[in-house]
Amino acid sequence: MERCAAFSGRINRQEYICRQTLLLLSVLCPGLILFFAVLPGKGAMLEEFLTLWSYYFAWCCIILLVLAYITVSISLMVRRLHDLDRSGWLLLTLLVPVVNALVLLWLSCAKGTSGNQYGAATTVANKDVFWDAAENCRRPLQKIYGYLKGDFLKDYFTLSGRLTCREYFFLFMAPLVIWGIIKLSGQLLYLLLLWLPGISALTVYLAQAGNIINLVMNLLILLLLFTVDVRRSHDHGTGWYYSLFALIPFVNFIYMVRQFCLTGEERDNKYGRIRTYTDATGALYNDDY
């Protein structure tokens, strides 16, 4: 807990995104349970459930969750600012509309400094991402095509090797986010076509084609997530069959916590070389590629 709410030190952008996402999920899941399971149903009268202990208990838990979320989130943003060699007081700019959105985007994307007054950089603090290279920004489509033709196969279409929790997070979330954006764009286009006169027959064919594409893409996403999950299990020294735990209700939640949050074996195993290690000072590092 001390590390979760610490306001000293620094974290890189990869760690910042991972922790903020996991923090949001860890608060959202119990919050939804409180709303839909603990609180009375919609049919209850206001006077009835105000007298129930579950109403007060649920709201106390929700308030505690919100306070914990705000505290840990501020801690992450302060340490991210330290990684950029900025004071934590810069968070006050989040109170300014429009500016706050730009600051949050900057915290997620900007490259940290090698060393500053807030401490030494972590192992992967300055690892380049796509937008760091000027050439990638000038020719993004060509670079994306090059990735799909080369590293994409290495990242997804293989069952050998090991993944750190950070690699697993980004490789797991990337296809879900991209496919979600594509599906949302398709739905908006379909709704737009429904408003245009004289093409009602075309929308029927488009809907059928959309259902087929949706089925194929869902199967492809499932395959990609399976290969990534297997390689994450390898980091724990376990085989592909551990991925079957994701199909078991309740057990899958515990399994995903293990995959996202727990470090792998700090030694070489039969699936590959060590990816996570502890240095002489006790600091934990991930050997991300």
Side-chain angles (χ1 to χ4, degrees):
M1 182 63 189
E2 182 180 356
R3 293 184 63 187
C4 292
F7 291 89
S8 60
R10 49 192 291 191
I11 58 174
N12 58 70
R13 54 189 167 188
Q14 294 99 328
E15 200 72 25
Y16 172 77
I17 294 174
C18 289
R19 293 189 184 188
Q20 284 284 23
T21 304
L22 293 176
L23 174 65
L24 179 61
L25 292 176
S26 65
V27 172
L28 185 62
C29 291
L32 291 176
I33 292 174
L34 288 170
F35 270 113
F36 294 107
V38 179
L39 291 179
K42 295 181 179 179
M45 297 295 294
L46 179 63
E47 293 79 4
E48 295 177 8
F49 69 75
L50 280 176
T51 61
L52 297 178
W53 68 270
S54 61
Y55 176 81
Y56 299 103
F57 173 76
W59 275 109
C60 287
C61 292
I62 290 171
I63 291 173
L64 290 176
L65 282 173
V66 171
L67 291 176
Y69 173 80
I70 293 174
T71 302
V72 178
S73 182
I74 291 176
S75 166
L76 294 174
M77 288 187 284
V78 167
R79 285 181 283 166
R80 181 70 187 108
L81 283 169
H82 291 174
D83 191 49
L84 297 166
D85 199 15
R86 297 292 190 276
S87 170
W89 291 105
L90 195 62
L91 283 184
L92 293 176
T93 56
L94 295 179
L95 301 176
V96 183
V98 182
V99 175
N100 50 15
L102 297 176
V103 171
L104 291 175
L105 182 63
W106 177 57
L107 291 177
S108 300
C109 301
K111 184 177 182 180
T113 59
S114 299
N116 57 47
Q117 58 182 319
Y118 300 103
T122 58
T123 304
V124 294
N126 290 308
K127 181 172 286 294
D128 287 343
V129 294
F130 182 83
W131 53 83
D132 285 335
E135 184 179 358
N136 293 345
C137 297
R138 288 194 298 268
R139 297 184 293 178
L141 295 180
Q142 180 178 349
K143 294 299 180 179
I144 292 174
Y145 173 74
Y147 167 74
L148 294 176
K149 190 172 62 173
D151 290 342
F152 177 75
L153 298 178
K154 182 190 73 173
D155 286 339
Y156 286 101
F157 289 94
T158 180
L159 294 176
S160 61
R162 302 166 59 173
L163 292 177
T164 65
C165 54
R166 182 171 19 244
E167 290 170 331
Y168 177 74
F169 175 85
F170 286 104
L171 291 178
F172 191 95
M173 296 301 294
L176 295 178
V177 172
I178 293 173
W179 179 228
I181 294 174
I182 294 175
K183 287 188 67 173
L184 179 61
S185 302
Q187 289 291 336
L188 293 176
L189 177 61
Y190 178 74
L191 293 175
L192 178 61
L193 291 176
L194 288 178
W195 284 88
L196 299 178
I199 58 172
S200 57
L202 177 61
T203 56
V204 174
Y205 293 112
L206 288 176
Q208 294 175 349
N211 291 333
I212 296 174
I213 294 174
N214 186 59
L215 175 62
V216 173
M217 288 301 297
N218 285 336
L219 292 175
L220 177 61
I221 295 295
L222 186 62
L223 173 63
L224 298 181
L225 297 184
F226 173 74
T227 60
V228 170
D229 193 73
V230 168
R231 293 166 63 203
R232 178 68 186 126
S233 291
H234 288 175
D235 196 44
H236 291 284
T238 54
W240 65 268
Y241 45 86
Y242 267 66
S243 296
L244 299 178
F245 284 121
L247 303 177
I248 305 175
F250 301 110
V251 176
N252 52 10
F253 176 77
I254 301 175
Y255 173 73
M256 295 311 293
V257 170
R258 175 226 194 203
Q259 296 292 79
F260 277 108
C261 302
L262 301 185
T263 57
E265 292 185 328
E266 294 188 43
R267 58 182 175 84
D268 295 344
N269 61 29
K270 63 181 180 179
Y271 300 107
R273 64 180 178 83
I274 182 174
R275 302 302 312 282
T276 305
Y277 62 94
T278 304
D279 67 7
T281 64
L284 189 69
Y285 292 105
N286 287 322
D287 181 24
D288 298 300
Y289 61 80

